[in-house]
Amino acid sequence: MKGREKEVIVLTGAGSIGLAVVRRIGVGKHIVVADVYLKNAEEVARILYNSGFESSAFFVDISSKESILSLIKKSQEFGEITRFINAAGVSPSQASIEDILKVDLYGTALLLHEFGKVVKEGGSGVIISSQSGYRLGVISQEQSDLMATTPVEKLLKLEFLKTDKIKDTLHAYQLSKRCNSLRVMAEAVKWGKKRARINSISPGIIITPLANDELNGPNKEVYRKMLKLCPAGRAGTPDEVAAVAELLMSDSGAFISGSDFLMDGGVTASYWYGDLSPRNSK
């Protein structure tokens, strides 16, 4: 059913976390699910439809401005975009340095910029980032400012973001996730001109099909050690991330914008100051 009477929620990234978020905030709204793998988007849209939600599925490549603009145009056919969630991305074990920067860093910045132009006054958005941004350590104020404010199309031309300056895929991922939170801060100023809000969440290990693969894959001991030694002593669930997202996107979170919420069961705290600290392994 198309028409202008519906509020529209756009989800990029058809995974478990995004699904959990839109189930919490999507009642009575039209949910647009978009993914680089259309079959994944269609499956999530089917699950939503069979659970009583109104939904549509589309292809999107978040590293392509043309693809994002096409998604926005299609989404606006159902109504005004009032909520936006990005849960798309690739991991260090999935992709090359170049692809991580193109999708996780540039793609997220592009989404923030383009959806900030069209989100309805009073709307809100959430970027699902990662605890990895907190593992990067200290970077210079100049680099932080450049990642936050450089025009999107010039981001990957920054000297310190060139592929030959990045050690490995984990380093690329950490830089990307730090950039996510910095871009959210900068974009929140622009979104605020229409009283719209944007925040990010940096989850730790959240049980999804991908996380289960990692927990049983070649690096399983690393991940299992993280869970065993962190304060929470376990992994998180998509519903726990969705609970935070619901707060951030609801009237209860109306005073929160430009913020990043680290929720990793204390893994980062333990990495810097506890049993997971590299200092304790020497």
Side-chain angles (χ1 to χ4, degrees):
M1 181 181 72
K2 296 185 178 182
R4 303 297 298 180
E5 74 281 3
K6 287 284 183 180
E7 291 185 28
V8 177
I9 299 171
V10 179
L11 166 65
T12 49
S16 301
I17 293 176
L19 173 59
V21 174
V22 294
R23 286 179 69 104
R24 281 182 174 259
I25 66 171
V27 175
K29 302 175 178 63
H30 190 101
I31 303 169
V32 171
V33 184
D35 198 276
V36 71
Y37 299 107
L38 181 57
K39 286 185 177 180
N40 290 351
E42 290 172 339
E43 174 62 16
V44 167
R46 184 189 65 79
I47 291 170
L48 288 167
Y49 172 77
N50 286 331
S51 301
F53 297 90
E54 185 178 311
S55 59
S56 299
F58 296 104
F59 165 86
V60 71
D61 173 2
I62 69 167
S63 68
S64 164
K65 181 177 180 179
E66 180 181 1
S67 184
I68 290 172
L69 293 178
S70 175
L71 173 64
I72 288 172
K73 184 177 180 180
K74 291 172 182 175
S75 300
Q76 289 174 322
E77 293 179 6
F78 300 102
E80 292 188 278
I81 298 171
T82 62
R83 301 288 185 271
F84 166 65
I85 306 104
N86 177 43
V90 293
S91 75
S93 61
Q94 289 179 318
S96 65
I97 290 174
E98 183 178 14
D99 285 344
I100 290 169
L101 294 175
K102 187 177 180 181
V103 175
D104 291 353
L105 191 150
Y106 169 78
T108 300
L110 190 57
L111 286 168
L112 282 164
H113 182 66
E114 296 301 335
F115 275 91
K117 295 178 184 179
V118 299
V119 68
K120 185 180 179 182
E121 183 172 348
S124 60
V126 165
I127 301 296
I128 305 299
S129 188
S130 169
Q131 65 175 348
S132 282
Y134 288 82
R135 305 280 186 85
L136 183 61
V138 176
I139 62 174
S140 71
Q141 188 62 52
E142 180 184 11
Q143 288 180 331
S144 293
D145 291 345
L146 285 170
M147 283 202 284
T149 63
T150 296
V152 178
E153 296 305 329
K154 295 182 179 181
L155 255 178
L156 295 183
K157 297 178 182 178
L158 292 173
E159 189 64 28
F160 65 95
L161 292 181
K162 291 182 178 178
T163 55
D164 61 348
K165 297 293 173 50
I166 296 175
K167 294 180 292 185
D168 51 31
T169 58
L170 178 59
H171 186 209
Y173 191 71
Q174 290 173 338
L175 280 166
S176 297
K177 298 309 177 180
R178 178 68 64 85
C179 186
N180 291 171
S181 59
L182 291 168
R183 297 300 291 197
V184 162
M185 290 181 69
E187 286 292 336
V189 178
K190 300 174 185 177
W191 284 48
K193 295 186 185 302
K194 56 175 68 174
R195 296 294 182 264
R197 300 180 296 104
I198 181 69
N199 293 286
S200 57
I201 301 173
S202 291
I205 299 175
I206 305 298
I207 295 300
T208 63
L210 176 60
N212 278 329
D213 286 345
E214 297 285 5
L215 287 167
N216 293 284
N219 296 317
K220 63 182 179 182
E221 295 307 324
V222 174
Y223 290 100
R224 291 181 181 186
K225 181 180 179 182
M226 287 171 62
L227 297 181
K228 181 180 179 181
L229 296 180
C230 77
R234 65 172 177 87
T237 67
D239 284 340
E240 288 175 304
V241 179
V244 176
E246 181 181 25
L247 166 66
L248 295 177
M249 302 182 81
S250 71
D251 290 342
S252 296
F255 197 57
I256 307 171
S257 193
S259 298
D260 180 75
F261 288 78
L262 174 65
M263 53 176 307
D264 65 354
V267 168
T268 299
S270 189
Y271 177 82
W272 288 109
Y273 306 111
D275 294 335
L276 291 172
S277 171
R279 294 185 293 269
N280 291 336
S281 62
K282 294 181 180 178

